[in-house]
Amino acid sequence: MRLISLGHGAGGQLTADLIREVFVSRLGNRYLDQLSDSAVVPAPGERLALTTDGFVVTPLFFPGGDIGKLAVCGTVNDLAVAGAEPLYLTASFIIEEGLDVDELTRVVASMAHAAAETGVAVVAGDTKVVERGGCDRLFIATAGVGRLLPGADLGPDRVRPGDRLVLSGSVGRHGVAVWSQRPGVTFRTPVTSDCAPVAPLTSALVAALGGAVHWMRDPTRGGLATVAAELGEQAATAVLLDEEAVPVDAPVRAACEMLGLDPLYLANEGRFVGVVAEEAAAQAVEILRRAGQDGAAVVGRVSDPAEADWAVLGAGAYLRTSLGGIKPLLRLAGEQLPRIC
Amino acid sequence: MRLISLGHGAGGQLTADLIREVFVSRLGNRYLDQLSDSAVVPAPGERLALTTDGFVVTPLFFPGGDIGKLAVCGTVNDLAVAGAEPLYLTASFIIEEGLDVDELTRVVASMAHAAAETGVAVVAGDTKVVERGGCDRLFIATAGVGRLLPGADLGPDRVRPGDRLVLSGSVGRHGVAVWSQRPGVTFRTPVTSDCAPVAPLTSALVAALGGAVHWMRDPTRGGLATVAAELGEQAATAVLLDEEAVPVDAPVRAACEMLGLDPLYLANEGRFVGVVAEEAAAQAVEILRRAGQDGAAVVGRVSDPAEADWAVLGAGAYLRTSLGGIKPLLRLAGEQLPRIC
């Protein structure tokens, strides 16, 4: 067992060795291999999508993924829901002295796998090491650059009354999978994270439906409810989620009942919500199901002022409960579980 | 005093409030203000420079700068020495529960100042909060996108025998400034960090000298010696630094003697080394001095096989000491001081 030392982060020979052995050997590509201060890459068209995310998930490894897979998928998904094709990633590692190099290597291999699956190249990186106790094992911050898809025209200003909310699959798996690793928690049926790149799905939707896709977002921290609340706020409209239509896998539902969690607020890392024109909603679900997303469903809609029962609702998100009532859906107010991603 | 809570990182209402109050109010611009999953920005030409860096400096505030200024300058400088004009930054914050919101605000204000000074826009961000003890107060990872300057043609393959190493100013200030904040350390003459964006300087050099600038790098972790060693390795040539020509400010020299540090290995955050054609070296120094870099100097050169005393040297970096001897310069092997940046 080799352990990370402070020297691995000092920018000298040990850093160079670590970069070569662990990072370049697995993530290498023509851009990263130059080991320059910056990677020089071809610009992908006239507009770029840029995003960043920090990952502090604990534990580093969980059913269905690890921090490396998450760091790639999380940033790829932020590009995807902006209507972009993810192309380049950068990765910044903050490592606690004493981390096993083999664990770091597993994480990097997992990043390489997720990047290859999505067709993105990790083109630049950085490694810092902090003394024992200075951080909790390993944090990764990734940034992403994508090419805007032709035909993508997304934004809260494009959301229209009557639009449907299409969800790509069941909610809550990532949150429950990470919960399940906490000491003392045991589930009858193990739940694996949904962590996956959604870019192939969002690209398929935009390619097929073009301007009929009005807005997309991935329900990570804060879950589907928070996405609905943000949509209502940004589009200055009322958004109605239909509780019975939201797919929740049985083991996730059981875990939520046991732990007192609300699946609508649990984090997902391989799902997205698309707001599409009413007439395109059925086709959107069909496209997602054909792509293997069995749980894809219309889960809500945007307020249509012509409907009588909407008149009383202001801008915001609302849940039509399984009992038929309507209650406001606020953003997540506190913290269900820290360090879910 | 308001303190950061775990809820500030949960992706819900508290996160939204923090983003608005602390980040958008200071860093805001037309791209960041959209608060979308990705910023959509115009592509700056046909080739992009991409880079990333993580910042874990301790203490967060030091003479001449803080982690925010450093996070902007460090990434801007990596773009600059790649021959690019820095345009867009992303910033990922990892915050320890309990950090004073006022301290975070000071850091963000400092980032905003450095970004404005350099003409870069922070277009995307992310905030994570870890529980007390999960990290040491605040880490920031920035990524940068730049436009390659017309006329910039840089790379180790462009380095030629006889090329001169031009250093933009004195070495060691950042390293000593951070050292000076350690408990129990007191210097007679306070040293401030050199932390600053070098982009105006590198742009001026490339604009004036074009293809006569062959390679650039900023001597951060590992210092000037490590940059020389990397140059020798990447260009497969012998690089000779002239110890007497390397400017070291008197207070830095005094601190190094007291603490047993070698200024050639100390980190700098506002300097760069340019490898330029021999006939352009004097002009390069002149340009830098006119831009206010009084310490700019030719500090070394690339091996010319025609010179007799070079015949015995292989690829690598060497120091001609003030006593006239020649000794190999290795990359920094261990760690002078952790968490310098």
Side-chain angles (χ1 to χ4, degrees):
Chain A
M1 190 164 84
R2 275 195 310 152
L3 302 183
I4 293 287
S5 71
L6 289 174
H8 283 114
Q13 190 60 50
L14 281 170
T15 305
D17 294 345
L18 185 74
I19 287 171
R20 227 183 315 265
E21 282 172 35
V22 174
F23 296 106
V24 175
S25 66
R26 281 164 189 82
L27 295 170
N29 54 65
R30 53 197 287 211
Y31 307 116
L32 187 66
D33 294 354
Q34 292 164 14
L35 294 181
S36 181
D37 286 294
S38 296
V40 175
V41 303
E46 290 177 7
R47 289 185 303 164
L48 308 175
L50 300 182
T51 192
T52 190
D53 250 325
F55 297 89
V56 298
V57 67
T58 183
L60 297 180
F61 301 89
F62 49 81
D66 57 54
I67 190 171
K69 183 179 183 184
L70 200 56
V72 170
C73 293
T75 290
V76 154
N77 290 352
D78 278 346
L79 294 172
V81 295
E85 175 193 5
L87 292 177
Y88 310 118
L89 295 184
T90 66
S92 177
F93 297 83
I94 298 174
I95 309 173
E96 186 184 13
E97 178 190 17
L99 184 74
D100 186 343
V101 173
D102 287 346
E103 284 196 294
L104 178 63
T105 304
R106 277 172 64 200
V107 167
V108 174
S110 174
M111 292 182 79
H113 183 81
E117 193 183 343
T118 323
V120 294
V122 179
V123 299
D126 183 59
T127 306
K128 293 282 155 54
V129 178
V130 299
E131 69 284 2
R132 275 173 209 271
C135 79
D136 189 4
R137 309 193 74 212
L138 174 64
F139 301 152
I140 304 176
T142 44
V145 179
R147 178 181 75 98
L148 275 214
L149 292 169
D153 185 9
L154 303 168
D157 54 312
R158 298 216 56 243
V159 173
R160 297 280 174 273
D163 278 359
R164 294 305 195 255
L165 273 69
V166 175
L167 175 68
S168 69
S170 65
V171 296
R173 280 178 42 192
H174 180 71
V176 169
V178 175
W179 254 108
S180 74
Q181 299 304 295
R182 300 287 151 130
V185 175
T186 318
F187 294 152
R188 249 173 314 184
T189 315
V191 174
T192 57
S193 170
D194 58 313
C195 182
V198 301
L201 305 171
T202 53
S203 294
L205 271 202
V206 170
L209 305 178
V213 184
H214 295 162
W215 191 86
M216 296 194 288
R217 185 149 292 186
D218 53 335
T220 54
R221 283 181 292 178
L224 180 61
T226 297
V227 163
E230 285 173 357
L231 172 62
E233 197 175 294
Q234 290 189 7
T237 187
V239 172
L240 190 74
L241 274 189
D242 184 351
E243 188 170 30
E244 294 221 313
V246 176
V248 183
D249 297 344
V252 169
R253 194 175 293 284
C256 283
E257 280 164 10
M258 189 174 93
L259 298 166
L261 300 172
D262 182 343
L264 293 180
Y265 284 93
L266 281 178
N268 312 278
E269 293 291 344
R271 304 293 186 229
F272 74 98
V273 179
V275 174
V276 302
E278 181 180 355
E279 61 277 14
Q283 196 187 341
V285 170
E286 180 59 28
I287 289 167
L288 293 171
R289 289 193 176 163
R290 272 206 311 268
Q293 301 300 107
D294 299 334
V298 173
V299 297
R301 58 184 164 162
V302 175
S303 162
D304 184 341
E307 292 179 62
D309 61 341
W310 284 105
V312 293
L313 305 175
Y318 304 88
L319 184 70
R320 190 189 299 271
T321 68
S322 43
L323 299 173
I326 287 189
K327 66 171 190 185
L329 270 184
L330 304 178
R331 287 165 185 252
L332 180 62
E335 174 63 274
Q336 282 201 316
L337 173 69
R339 299 180 57 186
I340 201 86
C341 60
Chain B
M1 192 163 81
R2 273 196 312 152
L3 302 183
I4 294 286
S5 70
L6 288 173
H8 284 113
Q13 191 59 50
L14 282 172
T15 306
D17 294 344
L18 185 74
I19 287 171
R20 225 182 317 264
E21 283 172 34
V22 175
F23 296 106
V24 174
S25 66
R26 281 162 190 83
L27 295 170
N29 54 65
R30 56 198 285 210
Y31 307 117
L32 186 66
D33 293 354
Q34 291 163 14
L35 294 181
S36 182
D37 286 294
S38 297
V40 175
V41 301
E46 290 177 7
R47 289 185 304 163
L48 308 175
L50 299 181
T51 192
T52 189
D53 250 325
F55 296 89
V56 298
V57 67
T58 183
L60 297 179
F61 301 89
F62 50 82
D66 58 54
I67 190 172
K69 182 178 183 185
L70 200 57
V72 169
C73 293
T75 290
V76 155
N77 291 351
D78 279 346
L79 294 171
V81 296
E85 175 193 6
L87 292 177
Y88 310 118
L89 294 184
T90 67
S92 177
F93 296 82
I94 298 174
I95 308 173
E96 185 184 14
E97 178 190 14
L99 183 74
D100 185 343
V101 173
D102 288 343
E103 284 196 294
L104 178 64
T105 304
R106 276 172 65 199
V107 166
V108 174
S110 173
M111 292 183 77
H113 183 81
E117 192 184 343
T118 324
V120 293
V122 178
V123 298
D126 184 57
T127 305
K128 293 281 156 54
V129 178
V130 299
E131 68 287 0
R132 275 174 208 271
C135 78
D136 188 5
R137 311 193 72 211
L138 174 64
F139 301 152
I140 305 176
T142 44
V145 178
R147 176 183 75 97
L148 275 213
L149 292 169
D153 186 8
L154 304 167
D157 54 311
R158 299 216 56 242
V159 173
R160 297 282 174 272
D163 278 359
R164 295 304 195 255
L165 274 68
V166 174
L167 176 67
S168 69
S170 65
V171 296
R173 279 178 42 191
H174 180 71
V176 169
V178 176
W179 254 107
S180 74
Q181 299 304 295
R182 299 288 150 131
V185 176
T186 318
F187 295 152
R188 247 173 316 184
T189 316
V191 173
T192 56
S193 170
D194 58 313
C195 182
V198 301
L201 305 172
T202 53
S203 295
L205 270 202
V206 169
L209 305 178
V213 184
H214 296 161
W215 192 85
M216 296 194 289
R217 185 150 293 188
D218 53 335
T220 55
R221 283 181 294 177
L224 180 62
T226 298
V227 164
E230 286 174 356
L231 172 62
E233 197 175 294
Q234 290 191 7
T237 187
V239 173
L240 189 75
L241 273 189
D242 183 351
E243 189 170 28
E244 296 220 312
V246 176
V248 183
D249 297 343
V252 170
R253 194 174 293 284
C256 283
E257 279 165 10
M258 187 174 95
L259 299 166
L261 300 171
D262 183 342
L264 293 180
Y265 284 93
L266 281 178
N268 312 278
E269 293 291 345
R271 304 295 185 224
F272 75 98
V273 180
V275 175
V276 302
E278 181 180 353
E279 61 276 15
Q283 196 187 341
V285 169
E286 179 59 27
I287 289 166
L288 293 171
R289 288 194 177 162
R290 271 206 311 268
Q293 300 301 107
D294 299 333
V298 173
V299 297
R301 58 185 164 162
V302 175
S303 163
D304 183 342
E307 291 179 64
D309 62 339
W310 284 105
V312 293
L313 306 174
Y318 303 88
L319 184 71
R320 190 189 300 270
T321 68
S322 42
L323 300 173
I326 287 189
K327 67 172 191 185
L329 271 185
L330 304 179
R331 287 164 184 253
L332 180 63
E335 175 61 276
Q336 282 200 316
L337 173 69
R339 301 182 53 187
I340 201 85
C341 59

